[in-house]
């Protein structure tokens, strides 16, 4: 059974410790790629700070980075290609060696938030052992088995998912709307009131677990 783990760990155990200390309001979001090549697991960073020039200089000077190339920027957000130092690559190797996937990685206030997926509990335990041997420990935030990935991740019931997909396919969300709620009710063989409730609850769950997740996790990191 596939295992997803969400945890936090200090930047000193992973990357950008100096940069996060030098620029206190710096927030990092690593953009991962679906690859098992160590160089391309986390090759891009989004960096946000009031003084982006200072943030870029701090990241470039950080001992965990060997090369940084700017791709794009606005006033306070920069997009960079990063080449990690060997000590960061070693941790990435541990993820790859344990058949893990980096789903999310973000940092602020001296702390990294990581969401990793492993093929089983044994692989996760081997990964945790890597930190124990080096005197670091990560703080587990959430651990769950992946049974029905999308429904579980976004807290959708099967009925809510069915209603959302049917509404999408029938053009309920199109502009202009191509179908009405009564037609959805007929297609799902339930009442119009039941359709309305499922769509509202599904929308609430999707919004809570997608659009608000970044800000909530940033607050969690700041409190940790």
């Amino acid at each position: 059974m596939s295992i997803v783990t969400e945890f936090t760990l200090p930047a000193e155990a992973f990357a950008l410790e100096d940069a996060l200390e030098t620029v206190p309001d710096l927030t990092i979001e690593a953009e991962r790629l679906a690859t098992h090549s160590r160089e391309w697991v986390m090759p891009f960073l989004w960096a946000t700070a009031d003084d982006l020039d200072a943030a870029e200089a701090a990241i470039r000077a950080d001992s965990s980075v060997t090369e940084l190339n700017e791709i794009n920027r606005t006033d306070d957000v920069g997009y960079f290609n990063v080449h990690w130092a060997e000590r960061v690559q070693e941790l990435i190797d541990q993820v790859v060696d344990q058949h893990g996937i980096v789903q999310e990685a973000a940092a602020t206030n001296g702390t990294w938030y990581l969401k990793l997926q492993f093929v089983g509990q044994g692989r996760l335990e081997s990964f945790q052992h890597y930190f124990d041997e080096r005197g670091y420990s990560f703080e587990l935030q959430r651990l769950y088995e992946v049974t029905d990935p999308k429904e579980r991740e976004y807290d959708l019931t099967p009925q809510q998912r069915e209603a959302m997909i049917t509404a999408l396919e029938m053009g309920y969300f199109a502009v202009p709307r191509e179908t009405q709620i009564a037609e959805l009710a007929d297609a799902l063989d339930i009442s119009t009131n039941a359709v309305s409730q499922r769509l509202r609850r599904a929308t609430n769950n999707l919004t809570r677990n997608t659009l608000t997740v970044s800000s909530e996790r940033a607050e969690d990191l700041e409190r940790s």
Side-chain angles (χ1 to χ4, degrees):
M1 185 69 69
S2 181
I3 300 290
V4 172
T5 178
E6 301 176 15
F7 60 92
T8 58
L9 74 162
E12 63 180 1
F14 186 28
L16 299 179
E17 176 188 6
D18 296 336
L20 290 166
E21 182 177 355
T22 302
V23 184
D25 70 331
L26 174 61
T27 298
I28 296 292
E29 183 176 349
E31 184 174 305
R32 61 99 178 175
L33 295 181
T35 176
H36 281 280
S37 170
R38 73 197 301 256
E39 291 84 4
W40 291 97
V41 172
M42 297 195 312
F44 301 107
L45 294 180
W46 293 96
T48 304
D50 289 338
D51 187 342
L52 191 58
D53 287 334
E56 179 178 355
I59 296 171
R60 194 180 301 277
D62 195 279
S63 61
S64 65
V65 173
T66 61
E67 184 178 342
L68 188 74
N69 300 301
E70 181 183 301
I71 298 174
N72 193 18
R73 72 155 62 196
T74 60
D75 290 339
D76 60 353
V77 180
Y79 186 47
F80 303 96
N81 170 228
V82 60
H83 294 258
W84 297 106
E86 185 62 26
R87 65 184 180 86
V88 180
Q89 293 290 2
E90 287 178 359
L91 187 142
I92 293 173
D93 284 345
Q94 285 297 314
V95 177
V96 174
D97 290 347
Q98 300 305 326
H99 303 285
I101 299 172
V102 179
Q103 292 190 343
E104 295 181 35
T108 189
N109 196 33
T111 304
W112 276 88
Y113 163 86
L114 295 176
K115 181 178 179 180
L116 307 180
Q117 182 173 347
F118 295 95
V119 296
Q121 183 70 33
R123 297 291 186 176
L124 171 59
E125 291 173 355
S126 295
F127 178 73
Q128 186 173 8
H129 184 62
Y130 171 84
F131 287 99
D132 293 339
E133 287 184 327
R134 286 154 181 78
Y136 296 114
S137 61
F138 58 75
E139 183 175 343
L140 187 64
Q141 304 293 326
R142 187 183 180 200
L143 178 68
Y144 58 91
E145 295 179 345
V146 179
T147 53
D148 214 343
K150 294 304 179 184
E151 292 173 13
R152 180 65 176 267
E153 182 176 358
Y154 301 125
D155 290 335
L156 295 181
T157 67
Q159 293 82 4
Q160 290 169 359
R161 184 176 185 275
E162 179 188 25
M164 292 292 283
I165 290 176
T166 301
L168 179 65
E169 292 176 343
M170 292 180 64
Y172 182 76
F173 300 118
V175 180
R177 183 166 288 170
E178 298 172 359
T179 192
Q180 300 301 315
I181 199 164
E183 296 171 284
L184 290 180
D186 289 340
L188 295 167
D189 196 25
I190 57 177
S191 69
T192 56
N193 184 56
V195 173
S196 178
Q197 288 186 22
R198 287 184 188 180
L199 291 178
R200 288 200 304 271
R201 288 170 179 164
T203 301
N204 177 70
N205 290 343
L206 284 171
T207 302
R208 187 181 65 250
N209 287 286
T210 54
L211 298 182
T212 65
V213 69
S214 296
S215 60
E216 289 174 354
R217 284 173 180 162
E219 291 173 0
D220 290 342
L221 289 174
E222 289 172 358
R223 289 193 294 266
S224 61

